[in-house]
Amino acid sequence: MRGPALQNRLAARGLDGTTLLLLPGLLFMLALFIYPFLYGLADSLMPKEGHWYANYVKFFSDPFQYQTIAATMWLALPVTVINLAFAVPVALRVRLMRRQRLLTTILVLPITLGTVFVADGLLTFLGPRGWFNHTLLILGILDTPVKLTNNYWGVFASLLITGFPFAFLLTLSYVTGIDPAIEQAAATLGAGPRQRFFRVFLPLLVPGLAVTFCLAFVQAFAVFPSAVLLGAPAGPTRVISIAAYQAAFEQYDHSLGSAIALIMGGVELVVVLAVLATRSLFYRGPASGTKG
């Protein structure tokens, strides 16, 4: 008597055709994330001199190095909060418009421009002789040009412009996934616009907003071109990515650069885990009220 076919035995172990479809994605993750991460971790533990943890001691014992964490957080957190605060009301409004696709295309246009192009445009627009200062001087609002480039505010403006479309698209996908019947039921029961937002929409949006916050924060925390072109790389906008670059390619200490990159990833991971842990305080249940 013949036993079960090989296909049936593999399916019993969870190895069916559907499972095999995951292999390309797993290989992609292995090649582009897991292997580079393990390589960087091993590289960071092989310093030029000293013990295996010497690179981390060197980073946290030098104020010029570890203060880059605070400088990067001071840029990434406010930008992420502001982009999310603007994305929610805009997404709630856009979902009700007839020409939603056209307006969405206009709002996400900065993504297609690229960080360097946006930074170069802001240098022209916000510079001492740029259109912004020139207009305010003509109107008599300013007596002397205000400095908005090569400092904190230039990088801040660049991150807002490039980060908002990303936060908006993610928020719009969550907003449009909420069944309109839920809002209509709340209105029928006498809930006003404010009550409907805070008691119906916001609890359903919190899981999605938490994910959007995490992704937008990671994007902003990895700022590099804007901090170099629009900021002060040796001053208040010396972010942690610049520290990693300088260690690896200016000081030719690739091991220290890997260690700083891992510290950067560790800080991002702590913030992401904290946000995902606190979202359960607002709502527990399905991720969203989907249309059905």
Side-chain angles (χ1 to χ4, degrees), residues 115 159 219-229 239 241-243 245-246:
T115 307
L159 290 177
Q219 182 187 39
F221 197 84
V223 57
F224 182 78
S226 299
V228 174
L229 296 173
V239 292
S241 59
I242 293 179
Y245 171 82
Q246 290 176 339

Side-chain angles (χ1 to χ4, degrees), residues 71-72 75-76 79 83 110 113-123 126 148-164 219-242:
T72 313
L75 274 168
V79 165
N83 276 333
L113 300 178
T115 307
V116 176
F117 189 84
V118 171
D120 183 66
L122 286 176
L123 283 172
L126 297 178
L148 295 173
T149 57
N150 302 117
N151 57 13
Y152 174 88
W153 296 110
V155 185
F156 189 86
S158 176
L159 290 177
L160 281 178
I161 294 173
T162 57
F164 174 77
Q219 182 187 39
F221 197 84
V223 57
F224 182 78
S226 299
V228 174
L229 296 173
L230 286 166
T237 63
R238 186 176 184 268
V239 292
I240 191 170
S241 59
I242 293 179

Side-chain angles (χ1 to χ4, degrees), residues 48-220:
K48 288 184 175 181
E49 54 184 21
H51 298 286
W52 57 271
Y53 51 85
N55 285 326
Y56 297 94
V57 173
K58 184 177 181 179
F59 178 85
F60 286 107
S61 61
D62 185 358
F64 188 64
Q65 296 283 24
Y66 67 72
Q67 286 176 0
T68 57
I69 298 177
T72 313
M73 292 286 284
W74 182 238
L75 274 168
L77 281 177
V79 165
T80 305
V81 172
I82 292 175
N83 276 333
L84 208 60
F86 277 105
V88 172
V90 173
L92 288 172
R93 182 59 182 169
V94 168
R95 74 186 181 99
L96 301 175
M97 293 183 174
R98 293 182 178 180
R99 300 185 181 274
Q100 181 183 130
R101 292 183 180 179
L102 176 62
L103 185 57
T104 301
T105 302
I106 296 174
L107 290 174
V108 302
L109 186 61
I111 292 180
T112 65
L113 300 178
T115 307
V116 176
F117 189 84
V118 171
D120 183 66
L122 286 176
L123 283 172
T124 303
F125 182 75
L126 297 178
R129 297 184 180 181
W131 297 350
F132 181 78
N133 276 305
H134 187 65
T135 302
L136 294 181
L137 289 172
I138 292 177
L139 295 175
I141 298 175
L142 294 178
D143 295 327
T144 57
V146 60
K147 187 176 182 181
L148 295 173
T149 57
N150 302 117
N151 57 13
Y152 174 88
W153 296 110
V155 185
F156 189 86
S158 176
L159 290 177
L160 281 178
I161 294 173
T162 57
F164 174 77
F166 185 72
F168 166 73
L169 281 178
L170 290 174
T171 305
L172 182 64
S173 66
Y174 288 111
V175 168
T176 55
I178 297 177
D179 193 343
I182 299 176
E183 182 184 11
Q184 295 170 4
T188 303
L189 295 173
R194 182 182 295 272
Q195 290 177 314
R196 292 199 299 270
F197 175 76
F198 285 103
R199 297 193 178 186
V200 178
F201 269 109
L202 190 58
L204 292 173
L205 281 176
V206 163
L209 292 180
V211 174
T212 302
F213 181 94
C214 293
L215 295 177
F217 170 79
V218 169
Q219 182 187 39

